């Protein structure tokens, strides 16, 4: 084809980055995301999905190429990516890109880490590959964002953009860190486009499969890169074609041009949000509002009723079915509940406002929290609709038994470029996540110094468990 297709344009930029590095301070931005991901992963090692995936890879065996975090295992690179991607997303504490509404680091970084360790790549090569893979994932996500609708078409169709787009980003990262040229990177991306999948029904009605979505995307990315290395090819029009990625997943609402808008000159990386709370990002502004009311001295026992206003598309995830959201089945499902998270924040939580201890099964079954959650009514709010999904805003209105009323509106989420977490807050998050690891300070220093590391093996030994 005389005109480069979209996958070839993406691959050309990726190859430039592979040879010349990320521009500006982007390597350090990626290092902070690697630190965040490793902390999230260490905190998730005891969860049932992690145990299930670890049991699978232990039984599968194979050549010990890369570390599966916290398991004591070295396994084939694809299986290390499966474990580590599962861990990274299991607590819903991973970074978020807006307005595509996907978590790009969790599928991409585990794939890059596994291949970098298996191939003996440098820390700088890892950061460059992970950064480009994240960029590809979120750009594909933007291809599914409908500005007229004000939401992701992936999300509207019940598809998990994180795992679908993340598989392609993971393949780009894996191919880059494995030394592939532009042609090889394009084929890896084209192959992975047939591998990404993920349904969001578990957010609504239960099941733990969603925690494995990013692990499977990372695994797919590693496998796709290996298949490309061995001669398998992908279609040149895999992104924009009539039966290609965007039209197959998003139909006529696909925005093909968004994928390559200002490609190579504008980077989405610095604007990706870090999460302060280990729960669905749609709940965060409500938590912030509840914490603000708590700081004013509002006593939960004196509350008669609570109204949580959020963007209309958010209601399906954090408010419906209302009876399930008022009484979550488990700590994991509590992380997707607007009523529960507001109640927990009003009663006082851990971490940076709410922490892991607020999302255990025991915490989710606490009758004091559930009684307060039962007072929360979730509604669509017009102003929130205007802002969403560039932010995930909320308004909290509380009526007291004495007749007084209080309102807090949060338009800008913590953790993004307009309200960032400080370096101290990010360090505190990592410390809380890695509380059981004795040399966590050394791990943090090693991650933040990855750009100078000759390889990543020494770091991964520290998190092997």
């Amino acid at each position: 084809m005389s005109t480069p297709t979209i996958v070839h344009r993406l691959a050309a930029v990726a190859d430039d980055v592979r040879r010349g590095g990320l521009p500006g301070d982007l390597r350090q931005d990626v290092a902070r995301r690697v630190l965040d991901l490793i902390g999230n992963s260490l905190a998730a090692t005891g969860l049932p999905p992690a145990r299930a995936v670890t049991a699978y890879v232990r039984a599968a065996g194979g050549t010990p190429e890369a570390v599966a975090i916290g398991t004591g295992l070295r396994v084939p690179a694809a299986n290390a990516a499966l474990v580590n991607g599962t861990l990274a997303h299991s607590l819903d504490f991973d970074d978020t890109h807006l307005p595509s509404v996907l978590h790009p680091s969790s599928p991409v970084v585990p794939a890059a880490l596994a291949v970098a360790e298996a191939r003996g790549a440098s820390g700088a090569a890892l950061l460059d590959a992970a950064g480009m893979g994240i960029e590809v994932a979120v750009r594909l996500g933007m291809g599914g964002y409908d500005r007229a609708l004000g939401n992701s078409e992936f999300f509207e169709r019940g598809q998990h953009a994180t795992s679908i787009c993340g598989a392609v980003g993971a393949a780009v990262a894996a191919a880059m860190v494995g030394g592939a040229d532009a042609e090889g990177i394009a084929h890896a991306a084209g192959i992975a486009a047939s591998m990404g999948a993920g349904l969001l029904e578990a957010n609504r009605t239960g099941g733990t499969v969603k925690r494995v979505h990013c692990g499977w995307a990372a695994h797919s990315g590693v496998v796709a890169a290996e298949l490309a290395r061995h001669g398998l090819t992908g279609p040149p029009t895999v992104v924009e074609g009539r039966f290609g990625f965007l039209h197959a997943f998003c139909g006529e609402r696909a925005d093909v041009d968004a994928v390559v808008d200002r490609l190579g000159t504008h980077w989405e990386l610095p604007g990706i949000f870090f999460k302060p709370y280990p729960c669905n990002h749609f709940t965060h502004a409500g938590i912030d509002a509840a914490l603000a009311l708590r700081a004013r001295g509002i006593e939960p026992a004196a509350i008669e009723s609570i109204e949580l206003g959020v963007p209309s598309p958010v209601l399906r995830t954090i408010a419906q079915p209302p009876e399930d959201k008022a009484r979550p089945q488990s700590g994991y499902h509590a992380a997707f509940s607007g009523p529960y998270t507001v109640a927990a924040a009003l009663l006082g939580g851990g971490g940076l406002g709410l922490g892991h201890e607020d999302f255990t099964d025991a915490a989710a079954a606490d009758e004091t929290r559930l009684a307060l959650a039962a007072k929360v009514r979730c509604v669509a709010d017009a102003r929130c609709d205007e802002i969403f999904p560039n932010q995930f805003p909320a308004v909290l209105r509380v009526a007291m038994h004495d007749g007084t009323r209080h309102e807090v509106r949060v338009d800008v989420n913590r953790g993004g470029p307009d309200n960032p977490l400080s370096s101290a807050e990010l360090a505190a998050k990592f410390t809380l996540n890695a509380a059981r690891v004795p040399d966590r300070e050394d791990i943090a220093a090693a991650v933040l110094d990855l750009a100078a590391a000759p390889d990543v093996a020494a770091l991964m030994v520290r998190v092997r468990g």
Side-chain angles (χ1 to χ4, degrees):
M1 293 187 178
S2 56
T3 303
T5 66
I6 287 179
V7 75
H8 288 133
R9 292 173 67 182
L10 293 170
V13 175
D15 192 43
D16 287 344
V17 170
R18 181 183 67 86
R19 291 182 286 107
L22 287 167
D25 296 329
L26 290 183
R27 273 186 185 167
Q28 196 56 31
D29 181 275
V30 179
R32 284 154 56 92
R33 299 187 187 282
V34 174
L35 179 66
D36 193 55
L37 179 135
I38 289 175
N40 295 339
S41 301
L42 289 168
T45 53
L47 296 176
R51 292 199 298 268
V53 173
T54 300
Y56 164 74
V57 302
R58 180 180 281 112
T63 305
E65 295 177 321
V67 164
I69 293 172
T71 67
L73 299 174
R74 293 188 78 247
V75 295
N79 283 352
L82 173 61
V83 173
N84 297 340
T86 298
L87 290 170
H89 190 56
S90 281
L91 290 166
D92 225 81
F93 216 178
D94 37 349
D95 60 7
T96 307
H97 176 264
L98 303 181
S100 68
V101 195
L102 59 80
H103 308 288
S105 291
S106 289
V108 172
V109 173
L113 275 172
V115 177
E117 186 179 1
R119 296 292 188 87
S122 69
L126 163 71
L127 297 175
D128 292 338
M132 187 66 208
I134 289 169
E135 189 74 16
V136 168
V138 299
R139 283 177 170 274
L140 289 172
M142 287 302 298
Y145 173 61
D146 187 334
R147 296 188 183 279
L149 183 68
N151 198 15
S152 167
E153 184 64 20
F154 289 102
F155 186 84
E156 286 290 320
R157 295 173 181 234
Q159 299 167 163
H160 195 189
T162 295
S163 48
I164 295 167
C165 303
V168 182
V172 168
M176 287 175 65
V177 82
D181 60 11
E183 182 180 8
I185 295 167
H187 285 310
I191 294 164
S194 289
M195 296 179 170
L199 301 176
L200 290 170
E201 186 64 13
N203 280 1
R204 297 183 67 252
T205 57
T208 56
V209 64
K210 180 177 175 288
R211 299 185 182 195
V212 185
H213 284 184
C214 289
W216 192 251
H219 178 278
S220 297
V222 174
V223 171
E226 278 297 292
L227 290 173
R229 188 167 71 89
H230 287 288
L232 197 69
T233 60
T237 53
V238 67
V239 176
E240 70 271 35
R242 171 64 182 84
F243 298 127
F245 183 89
L246 283 179
H247 291 300
F249 283 114
C250 302
E252 295 307 310
R253 293 187 182 274
D255 184 355
V256 174
D257 292 337
V259 180
V260 288
D261 178 41
R262 296 172 290 166
L263 178 65
T265 59
H266 169 78
W267 291 81
E268 294 288 327
L269 263 170
I272 298 172
F273 289 59
F274 288 98
K275 278 189 173 182
Y277 314 122
C279 49
N280 181 265
H281 219 145
F282 292 159
T283 68
H284 283 210
I287 293 167
D288 286 336
L291 292 172
L293 286 174
R294 181 174 172 80
R296 292 182 188 178
I298 297 296
E299 288 293 335
I303 294 175
E304 180 179 359
S305 65
I306 304 169
E307 183 180 86
L308 173 62
V310 295
S312 300
V314 165
L315 290 170
R316 286 169 296 184
T317 300
I318 70 169
Q320 298 168 357
E323 60 276 9
D324 291 344
K325 297 304 180 179
R327 294 189 71 88
Q329 300 174 26
S330 67
Y332 181 66
H333 298 124
F336 295 85
S337 166
Y340 175 85
T341 50
V342 164
L346 284 169
L347 287 164
L352 299 178
L354 286 186
H356 299 303
E357 60 269 41
D358 297 298
F359 297 100
T360 63
D361 290 349
D366 178 69
E367 287 299 332
T368 301
R369 294 183 179 209
L370 294 177
L372 189 57
K375 297 181 179 182
V376 180
R377 183 173 70 98
C378 299
V379 300
D381 179 81
R383 179 169 162 185
C384 290
D385 280 338
E386 292 174 1
I387 298 169
F388 181 85
N390 295 298
Q391 300 282 338
F392 296 158
V395 56
L396 200 61
R397 301 182 179 97
V398 175
M400 311 299 289
H401 287 301
D402 64 5
T404 59
R405 296 178 178 274
H406 303 271
E407 177 177 318
V408 173
R409 186 176 286 276
V410 176
D411 291 341
V412 178
N413 300 103
R414 286 179 73 195
D418 297 323
N419 189 10
L421 295 183
S422 67
S423 295
E425 287 173 318
L426 281 172
K429 177 181 174 180
F430 178 79
T431 298
L432 289 166
N433 278 333
R436 293 181 299 224
V437 180
D439 61 341
R440 54 188 174 273
E441 292 183 1
D442 292 338
I443 292 171
V447 173
L448 295 176
D449 198 34
L450 267 172
D455 61 57
V456 302
L459 167 65
M460 298 312 291
V461 166
R462 292 180 181 271
V463 298
R464 180 175 176 178

